[in-house]
Amino acid sequence: MKTTRTSKLKLFYSALIFMGALQINAQVLDAPVAAPNQTPPVGSSAWDKACASGSFNDYWVNFTWSPPLVNSDNEFILELSNASGSFTSPVELARDATKNTNFDFFFQFTIPSNIRGEGYKMRVRSTSPATIGAESAAYSMYYIDVNAGLSLRQQGNADFGDGTAQVCDGNTITLEVYDLPNSNTYQYNWYRSGTPLADKTSSIAVSQAGMYNVEIDYGSCSGSGNTLSNIIDVTAGTSLGVAINPPSKTALCSGESMVLEANINNASLTYTWYKDGVAIPSSNSFDFTVDASIPGFEADYAVEIFGPGTCVERSSTVAITNAGSFTVTRDNPANIIVLPSQSQTLSVSTTASSPNYQWYRDGSPIAGATNNTLVVNESEIGEYFARVSLTGGACASTSIDSDITTVITPDSFEIIIDYATSYAPCVNSSIVLETTTINALDSSGNITDVTTALISQFTYQWSRNSAIVNGSTASTTSLTDVSENGTYTISGNLSTYNVTSNSLDVQLLVNESLAISSSSLISCGPSEPITISTTTPLTGESFFWTQDGINIDTTSEVLNVTSPGTYQLLIDRGGCSLPSNEIVINTLDPSLITLDPSSDNIVFPEGTNRTVIASGGDSYVWYNGENIEIGNSSSITLDEAGSYYIVATIGNCEVTKTFTAEYLDTFKIPNVITVNGDGLNDQWVIPNSFSNKPDINIIIYNNSGQEVLNEFNYRNNWPESSMSFPKQNMVFYYKIKDASSVLKQGTITIIR
């Protein structure tokens, strides 16, 4: 028997050394390999290049790795290099935290939209322990997000225009791809008259004539993806130095004309004349006549030429001006009111030198009205303007009419009042009323706005409820007290005119604060009513209480409530409801009281202690299993196993939580058992904190990753006597889990 025990001890220590060696060896992460699509129906062949797009982007790789097992918090991450195969800044394609015991599985991933190139590689790394796997072979990968024709233009143009461009005098121009987001992230194929060029960027410098176009280079993924652009026809030529010959004069009078001539007269050239930068139709001639009898002839003129071997070239501009140009300004308002026995003066001003004036009424000249001012009286209503003419110079016949002035004698006036700012009854505690509009009405009912001209000439009197408001004689009135509530009008007087405005109702809210308070904000139920009250006297007042906006009580000066809701008090003040603040009563939520640690079963080694911290309440009392108080702060330190509970208060409510404390098992989980039937160490016996627990899951795998045991309430009975182990020193892997995490994991070596 002694020899047998010695042999078992040797085997036991050998196993320990063997397991130590397993722990030292690192995981081997193989290179990922392109795999058939695993989405049903599963594909039959692996991909050799990734050509993704908005309509298809689903790729798979196969990944294998070798034990020892990774840690429970490990994640396998599939990474992508740059287009040159470098992992200096790898891109994450996928990650999986569920395959920590699966040694052969697939990753599914999509190609990022900025991936385009021929030399991408992939690899897999683990996070716990941190290990970087082997790199894959290089793959062509392209995300084809553009599959329509590109737009090509000469740099500096708004678009491709008429599809032509010129290279002049041996210089270069730049053609560029435009209207393509992030155009500089693509590679391109450029063509001149069908011949490929070496350039690969989004723009190209051009110095030769030819038909140019461009497409995106998607490499192995079907070439250009139908992205061939429009054609720009580039021609080469020389500049001729076009200009406009200096005209004899550039300031013209009305009725005159001036011929502008280009300095080059060549029948093979095409001429286009421009006025203020706009092409003049049918102007294909080396000369152009400016006609000053046409209104708006004043402008900057230029000529542009084009022809065989000649570059498109535009001359500098020549400014043609109006020699008779001057301004006339009406100095009085557009509408003039002439009251009985009064007169008004109309006037104009001008920038003309030594001008002549002639006033017109209703389109007819007024005899003797030849000054810049004109006096009108109540019998001379109508529409007036002044015609100003030059008295000398080259353009003596030029004349300009002033803007029209309408002169009326009113049959009556209309005054309109309004609230000066936003107003709502029983909301505003103050408001200003103002005169906004004064209209003059003639005998036909026509209305003319004369507010600007007459608002300061009227005298005013405000009335409230048809009674004069003493001292309120301005065009506005300010109301700040509920005693001023009522219906307001204003009377206006001017000369023989008396007018009363429209009416405005004013109902102000009293400028008073109403506050309510409650004995608690948490409802414990019908047995614990909450009192809501106010310091404002309610005796003799008209008031009501509301719950969630609904009237619930009109008589109780103090409100007792037992249900949750939003409560408010409203008191009548001058026909308006004065609202209080709102008080929100919530139902008691026991989950507001939390314990740290949160487990109902707190475990600590015997001879030590564990502190439990409560939060969410106003006060706390701790009790042991004998209902003896052991503490009254937010924390308690336990050094004995047993049953405990805490009573926490929230407002006037109490919440009770119970928990237990037990000692931690001190022996460790074995990693070697000797299955030889001698009754010693024949089965895998684990601590009580993990065995015989209905919420603890025990899983055991063989070295191929297959489950050999998966059960809750493990009873320390594996392996059963019926199990056979064909090899010496077989290694198994275990995980001990609860509902949310892996608690323990490791290896078990079986020694026969």
Side-chain angles (χ1 to χ4, degrees):
M1 178 64 72
K2 182 177 182 180
T3 302
T4 302
R5 289 182 177 273
T6 302
S7 299
K8 292 187 69 174
L9 286 173
K10 289 181 179 179
L11 287 172
F12 177 75
Y13 290 125
S14 298
L16 288 178
I17 295 171
F18 172 74
M19 291 311 299
L22 284 177
Q23 295 300 323
I24 293 172
N25 292 336
Q27 291 78 17
V28 176
L29 309 184
D30 300 324
V33 179
N37 194 301
Q38 300 298 302
T39 304
V42 176
S44 59
S45 59
W47 53 277
D48 59 351
K49 57 181 177 289
C51 303
S53 66
S55 59
F56 177 80
N57 195 357
D58 185 17
Y59 294 90
W60 297 74
V61 293
N62 180 231
F63 170 62
T64 59
W65 63 288
S66 302
L69 286 178
V70 293
N71 297 323
S72 62
D73 60 346
N74 175 68
E75 292 183 289
F76 289 109
I77 301 175
L78 178 64
E79 296 182 331
L80 181 68
S81 72
N82 63 17
S84 302
S86 171
F87 284 93
T88 302
S89 300
V91 175
E92 181 179 319
L93 295 179
R95 65 170 58 209
D96 197 327
T98 66
K99 301 294 192 298
N100 290 338
T101 58
N102 191 338
F103 304 106
D104 186 345
F105 62 92
F106 294 92
F107 277 107
Q108 182 183 20
F109 65 94
T110 60
I111 300 297
S113 61
N114 62 343
I115 296 300
R116 289 180 284 275
E118 297 288 324
Y120 288 96
K121 295 182 180 181
M122 293 174 288
R123 71 183 185 191
V124 175
R125 67 178 176 89
S126 62
T127 61
S128 181
T131 305
I132 295 179
E135 298 178 4
S136 73
Y139 292 95
S140 298
M141 292 186 178
Y142 290 88
Y143 187 90
I144 304 174
D145 56 342
V146 181
N147 55 11
L150 301 179
S151 296
L152 182 62
R153 68 181 177 188
Q154 182 178 348
Q155 194 174 69
N157 292 349
D159 52 31
F160 58 80
D162 61 359
T164 65
Q166 276 195 326
V167 178
C168 290
D169 303 324
N171 296 315
T172 62
I173 62 171
T174 298
L175 303 181
E176 65 178 1
V177 175
Y178 76 101
D179 203 20
L180 175 64
N182 303 312
S183 61
N184 60 333
T185 65
Y186 298 85
Q187 290 198 87
Y188 300 86
N189 296 322
W190 287 89
Y191 301 92
R192 181 176 63 245
S193 301
T195 301
L197 303 176
D199 302 78
K200 288 293 184 180
T201 59
S202 60
S203 63
I204 184 174
V206 172
S207 60
Q208 298 181 42
M211 310 285 281
Y212 288 82
N213 56 355
V214 65
E215 66 185 5
I216 292 178
D217 181 4
Y218 283 125
S220 302
C221 291
S222 303
S224 67
N226 301 316
T227 60
L228 194 62
S229 74
N230 57 291
I231 291 176
I232 298 294
D233 183 6
V234 177
T235 58
T238 58
S239 301
L240 301 181
V242 68
I244 297 176
N245 291 327
S248 58
K249 64 178 180 177
T250 58
L252 306 180
C253 295
S254 178
E256 292 184 332
S257 64
M258 173 58 61
V259 177
L260 303 179
E261 294 182 344
N263 64 337
I264 301 171
N265 185 359
N266 188 330
S268 66
L269 298 178
T270 297
Y271 294 83
T272 303
W273 287 85
Y274 288 81
K275 177 183 178 183
D276 287 336
V278 179
I280 301 172
S282 303
S283 59
N284 185 14
S285 173
F286 85 100
D287 60 8
F288 177 78
T289 300
V290 179
D291 186 354
S293 64
I294 299 175
F297 70 91
E298 310 93 328
D300 290 335
Y301 291 85
V303 64
E304 184 177 271
I305 61 172
F306 173 66
T310 301
C311 288
V312 175
E313 186 180 3
R314 190 179 300 185
S315 71
S316 299
T317 60
V318 170
I320 301 299
T321 61
N322 188 341
S325 177
F326 60 93
T327 62
V328 176
T329 303
R330 181 189 63 204
D331 296 330
N332 52 259
N335 298 308
I336 294 291
I337 302 296
V338 181
L339 300 177
S341 303
Q342 294 184 4
S343 63
Q344 294 282 1
T345 299
L346 314 184
S347 67
V348 296
S349 56
T350 181
T351 59
S353 300
S354 303
N356 283 333
Y357 299 92
Q358 176 60 61
W359 285 91
Y360 288 75
R361 174 187 176 198
D362 295 332
S364 299
I366 303 173
T370 56
N371 295 317
N372 71 315
T373 61
L374 178 67
V375 177
V376 295
N377 58 45
E378 62 180 304
S379 64
E380 297 174 317
I381 62 173
E383 292 188 339
Y384 291 79
F385 69 87
R387 178 166 294 164
V388 181
S389 304
L390 298 177
T391 59
C395 305
S397 61
T398 301
S399 63
I400 298 177
D401 294 344
S402 71
D403 292 332
I404 290 175
T405 298
T406 300
V407 176
I408 62 172
T409 297
D411 185 64
S412 63
F413 286 98
E414 176 187 46
I415 295 179
I416 299 173
I417 60 174
D418 202 351
Y419 307 103
T421 57
S422 176
Y423 168 80
C426 295
V427 174
N428 292 63
S429 59
S430 65
I431 191 65
V432 172
L433 308 183
E434 65 178 357
T435 301
T436 58
T437 307
I438 300 177
N439 291 323
L441 289 73
D442 63 17
S443 58
S444 299
N446 297 314
I447 296 175
T448 302
D449 187 336
V450 293
T451 307
T452 303
L454 297 184
I455 191 168
S456 61
Q457 297 186 32
F458 270 84
T459 58
Y460 301 96
Q461 176 60 61
W462 286 91
S463 296
R464 170 177 167 266
N465 298 333
S466 301
I468 290 175
V469 179
N470 293 328
S472 187
T473 57
S475 61
T476 64
T477 187
S478 178
L479 310 176
T480 60
D481 192 83
V482 293
S483 63
E484 299 175 302
N485 288 349
T487 300
Y488 284 81
T489 59
I490 191 172
S491 298
N493 177 268
L494 178 65
S495 185
T496 59
Y497 298 92
N498 292 288
V499 58
T500 299
S501 72
N502 58 303
S503 63
L504 291 178
D505 292 326
V506 174
Q507 191 170 19
L508 300 179
L509 178 65
V510 63
N511 189 12
E512 176 185 345
S513 294
L514 177 61
I516 59 175
S517 59
S518 64
S519 58
S520 177
L521 296 177
I522 303 296
S523 173
C524 308
S527 62
E528 295 285 345
I530 297 172
T531 299
I532 304 176
S533 60
T534 179
T535 58
T536 300
L538 298 180
T539 303
E541 298 286 353
S542 175
F543 65 91
F544 59 94
W545 295 91
T546 65
Q547 178 186 12
D548 298 327
I550 299 173
N551 188 336
I552 60 171
D553 192 305
T554 60
T555 60
S556 302
E557 296 187 19
V558 175
L559 187 67
N560 292 312
V561 300
T562 58
S563 59
T566 300
Y567 293 86
Q568 191 174 35
L569 172 64
L570 296 99
I571 300 178
D572 180 76
R573 288 287 191 264
C576 295
S577 294
L578 173 66
S580 72
N581 57 300
E582 294 181 341
I583 287 188
V584 179
I585 305 296
N586 293 307
T587 302
L588 174 65
D589 181 3
S591 66
L592 293 174
I593 303 299
T594 60
L595 299 182
D596 182 19
S598 59
S599 173
D600 293 337
N601 185 37
I602 298 169
V603 179
F604 56 89
E606 189 173 4
T608 65
N609 56 50
R610 185 69 182 271
T611 298
V612 182
I613 301 173
S615 60
D618 300 326
S619 64
Y620 311 91
V621 181
W622 304 83
Y623 297 88
N624 61 17
E626 287 73 40
N627 297 322
I628 298 173
E629 181 180 334
I630 59 174
N632 56 13
S633 67
S634 62
S635 65
I636 191 74
T637 299
L638 306 176
D639 55 13
E640 292 184 359
S643 298
Y644 297 88
Y645 67 95
I646 180 176
V647 177
T649 62
I650 303 177
N652 58 333
C653 304
E654 290 186 348
V655 176
T656 300
K657 285 185 176 287
T658 62
F659 59 94
T660 60
E662 66 179 40
Y663 296 130
L664 178 68
D665 291 320
T666 57
F667 73 93
K668 297 182 179 179
I669 298 173
N671 61 358
V672 175
I673 58 176
T674 57
V675 184
N676 56 11
D678 66 354
L680 297 175
N681 198 34
D682 285 333
Q683 292 179 312
W684 190 52
V685 179
I686 61 177
N688 293 337
S689 55
F690 300 128
S691 63
N692 298 294
K693 299 290 185 182
D695 58 341
I696 299 297
N697 184 202
I698 308 298
I699 306 173
I700 300 177
Y701 308 87
N702 62 22
N703 60 0
S704 297
Q706 298 174 325
E707 288 186 4
V708 298
L709 178 75
N710 188 333
E711 65 180 42
F712 292 86
N713 233 351
Y714 174 64
R715 301 186 182 279
N716 292 325
N717 58 351
W718 183 88
E720 297 179 357
S721 58
S722 60
M723 290 188 65
S724 62
F725 300 94
K727 298 179 182 179
Q728 280 283 2
N729 302 332
M730 293 184 66
V731 178
F732 293 80
Y733 306 91
Y734 71 86
K735 284 189 176 182
I736 302 176
K737 303 169 59 178
D738 62 11
S740 60
S741 63
V742 174
L743 304 176
K744 297 285 185 180
Q745 65 179 4
T747 60
I748 310 169
T749 300
I750 305 296
I751 299 177
R752 290 193 290 113

